[in-house]
């Protein structure tokens, strides 16, 4: 069967989910609009921004005059750290089950500069961000009631980002959330069945096939995964088998900074606009077990489909059946790769 021409479905071995691929619906390899929206000029400091240094946040707290990264407790935290740990099964039929979920939500500004993004920050500044993420991970993961630390960035209004000031969120939870929990089971099962690491083996296959590789360096490789759902979704994997940021050596911190900047710079060239996305790191759960099976990686999920304004919607069959895509991961990777080679 010729998969590149016929409808087929692909399996995501990390989450045990399927994606329907309909390559016959893409008549041409690339249907992206050539439109380029004018770049929005942002000031270095915005007096109305609640993340800029010295400004007041909702709730009245004033940010310090910070000059590097800056972390604060989210003023509208989704998690409360004093929630008791308890589980109820009302009617004892497993139908009305609830668990307390204590946790901590923080916000991290990448830079005091309102106008920067990961694509326009210097490598040294991004390395500082990685070191700040590492410190947050170490501090939060060590807390006895925290089993998972999720670092993520929402970029652009389309992804619900509330503010263009470069920032991310950190949610530390008592339970391992659903998606990393599925990835954990998959990686454990793979290691038990095959005696190796799922993502080490997967990265090796991608390296030999080349068709889905977007970019890479000595420390990291970025691919459009075989099972990608979002049109330009990418998966960033460390080349070395490691589980979390504290395990990165100095060279790998620099290589991760370079890889992140490269991905976002490529994205910004797809439609000539700052590409909206949600991205986040999946790191070893901090549940007290060693987790040698876990492989450090990041997912980037951008919603844009055909132009700066046309996004993919997860509706219809995708809500009721499973996700579907038209452009194949191989074509998406080819497009992203061609933009990578034009970067300075
Ligand atoms: P997002 O752009 O990804 O929404 O992240 C911004 C977070 O900042 C959001 O979770 C918080 C919001 O609750 N926030 C504050 O903590 N203080 C404020 O003054 C405004 C927004
Ligand atoms: Zn700002």
């Amino acid at each position: 069967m010729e998969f590149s021409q016929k409808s087929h479905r692909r399996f995501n071995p990390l989450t045990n989910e399927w994606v329907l691929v309909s390559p016959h619906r893409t008549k041409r390899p690339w249907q992206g609009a050539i439109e380029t929206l004018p770049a929005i000029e942002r000031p270095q400091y915005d007096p109305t921004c609640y993340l800029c240094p010295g400004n007041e946040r909702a709730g009245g707290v004033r940010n310090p005059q910070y000059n590097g990264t800056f972390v604060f407790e989210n003023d509208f935290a989704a998690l409360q750290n004093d929630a008791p740990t308890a589980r109820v099964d009302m009617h004892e039929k497993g139908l009305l089950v609830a668990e307390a979920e204590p946790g901590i939500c923080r916000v991290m500004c990448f830079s005091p500069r309102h106008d920067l993004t990961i694509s326009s920050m210097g490598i040294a500044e991004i390395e500082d961000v990685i070191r700040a993420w590492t410190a947050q991970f170490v501090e939060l993961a060590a807390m006895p009631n925290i089993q998972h630390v999720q670092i993520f960035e929402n970029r652009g209004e389309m992804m619900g980002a509330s503010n263009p000031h470069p920032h991310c969120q950190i949610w530390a939870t008592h339970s391992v959330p659903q998606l990393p929990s599925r990835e954990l089971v998959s990686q454990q099962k793979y290691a038990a069945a095959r005696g190796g690491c799922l993502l080490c083996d997967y990265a090796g296959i991608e390296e030999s096939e080349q068709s889905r590789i977007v970019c890479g360096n000595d420390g990291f490789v970025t691919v459009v995964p075989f099972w990608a759902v979002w049109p330009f979704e990418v998966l960033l994997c460390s080349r070395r088998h490691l589980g979390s940021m504290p395990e990165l050596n100095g060279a790998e911190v620099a290589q991760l900074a370079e890889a992140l900047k490269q991905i976002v710079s490529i994205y910004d060239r797809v439609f000539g606009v700052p590409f909206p996305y949600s991205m986040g790191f999946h790191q070893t759960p901090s549940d007290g077990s060693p987790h040698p099976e876990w492989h450090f990686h990041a997912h980037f999920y951008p919603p844009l489909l055909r132009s700066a304004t046309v996004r993919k919607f997860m509706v219809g069959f995708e809500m009721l059946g499973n996700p579907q895509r038209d452009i194949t991961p191989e074509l998406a990777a080819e497009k992203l790769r061609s933009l990578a080679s034009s970067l300075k």
Side-chain angles (χ1 to χ4, degrees):
M1 180 180 166
E2 181 47 86
F3 281 120
S4 66
Q5 302 299 329
K6 299 290 178 195
S7 61
H8 61 277
R9 62 180 195 151
R10 297 188 184 193
F11 180 64
N12 180 340
L14 274 175
T15 58
N16 270 303
E17 291 166 333
W18 291 88
V19 54
L20 173 63
V21 186
S22 314
H24 53 289
R25 298 218 300 196
T26 23
K27 297 269 179 332
R28 286 178 293 137
W30 174 242
Q31 298 181 312
I34 314 150
E35 71 181 285
T36 306
L37 300 185
I40 304 155
E41 287 295 321
R42 280 200 194 93
Q44 294 190 12
Y45 166 76
D46 178 349
T48 68
C49 167
Y50 61 80
L51 295 177
C52 274
N55 290 358
E56 194 175 299
R57 300 204 303 271
V61 184
R62 193 167 286 281
N63 297 325
Q65 285 294 344
Y66 65 96
N67 48 30
T69 57
F70 168 54
V71 180
F72 61 92
E73 301 289 324
N74 196 313
D75 299 308
F76 307 99
L79 296 152
Q80 299 164 302
N81 207 23
D82 58 358
T85 48
R87 181 187 166 93
V88 289
D89 180 353
M90 290 170 259
H91 305 278
E92 289 167 10
K93 287 184 164 27
L95 297 175
L96 305 186
V97 177
E99 281 181 7
E101 183 72 291
I104 296 171
C105 293
R106 293 181 177 166
V107 179
M108 183 198 287
C109 299
F110 297 160
S111 161
R113 287 265 305 266
H114 186 80
D115 57 330
L116 295 183
T117 78
I118 286 183
S119 49
S120 52
M121 285 169 70
I123 295 292
E125 292 167 297
I126 304 173
E127 285 183 57
D128 285 344
V129 172
I130 296 168
R131 282 187 277 268
W133 283 335
T134 306
Q136 288 296 313
F137 180 85
V138 169
E139 181 198 329
L140 292 163
M143 295 183 180
N145 64 336
I146 295 301
Q147 299 197 23
H148 188 262
V149 179
Q150 185 60 59
I151 298 172
F152 64 97
E153 179 193 7
N154 295 321
R155 189 195 200 213
E157 281 166 40
M158 202 175 266
M159 292 313 282
S162 54
N163 186 322
H165 195 114
H167 68 283
C168 72
Q169 297 195 44
I170 304 169
W171 292 23
T173 47
H174 174 68
S175 66
V176 182
Q178 191 157 285
L179 291 171
S181 174
R182 278 190 210 154
E183 292 189 355
L184 177 62
V185 172
S186 300
Q187 290 176 101
Q188 284 172 332
K189 280 190 178 163
Y190 188 91
R194 297 175 195 264
C197 161
L198 191 160
L199 283 177
C200 281
D201 286 2
Y202 175 64
I205 291 172
E206 290 295 10
E207 204 62 61
S208 68
E209 291 212 354
Q210 288 287 316
S211 58
R212 284 171 297 273
I213 294 207
V214 174
C215 55
N217 56 35
D218 287 347
F220 294 86
V221 62
T222 300
V223 302
V224 177
F226 181 75
W227 53 83
V229 165
W230 295 94
F232 296 100
E233 171 179 339
V234 299
L235 173 71
L236 167 79
C237 283
S238 59
R239 291 198 191 268
R240 191 162 68 84
H241 183 76
L242 57 96
S244 61
M245 289 185 190
E247 296 166 55
L248 297 172
N249 61 37
E252 285 163 336
V253 170
Q255 287 153 353
L256 178 58
E258 185 189 278
L260 294 172
K261 185 177 167 84
Q262 195 169 23
I263 294 168
V264 183
S265 303
I266 292 169
Y267 273 168
D268 287 352
R269 287 174 168 235
V270 175
F271 299 121
V273 292
F275 216 54
Y277 59 74
S278 274
M279 71 79 64
F281 296 97
H282 275 162
Q283 311 194 63
T284 324
S286 52
D287 57 359
S289 302
H291 294 302
E293 73 289 339
W294 192 276
H295 192 117
F296 176 79
H297 61 280
H299 300 279
F300 280 77
Y301 299 126
L304 290 182
L305 179 62
R306 270 192 300 276
S307 75
T309 47
V310 179
R311 61 161 294 164
K312 174 184 174 64
F313 285 101
M314 288 283 206
V315 295
F317 189 78
E318 319 206 289
M319 285 182 140
L320 294 152
N322 59 237
Q324 181 271 343
R325 63 179 293 138
D326 291 348
I327 174 178
T328 61
E330 292 72 31
L331 274 178
E334 194 181 314
K335 173 67 189 169
L336 295 175
R337 206 165 44 235
S338 73
L339 297 169
S341 59
S342 66
L343 286 175
K344 287 188 293 274

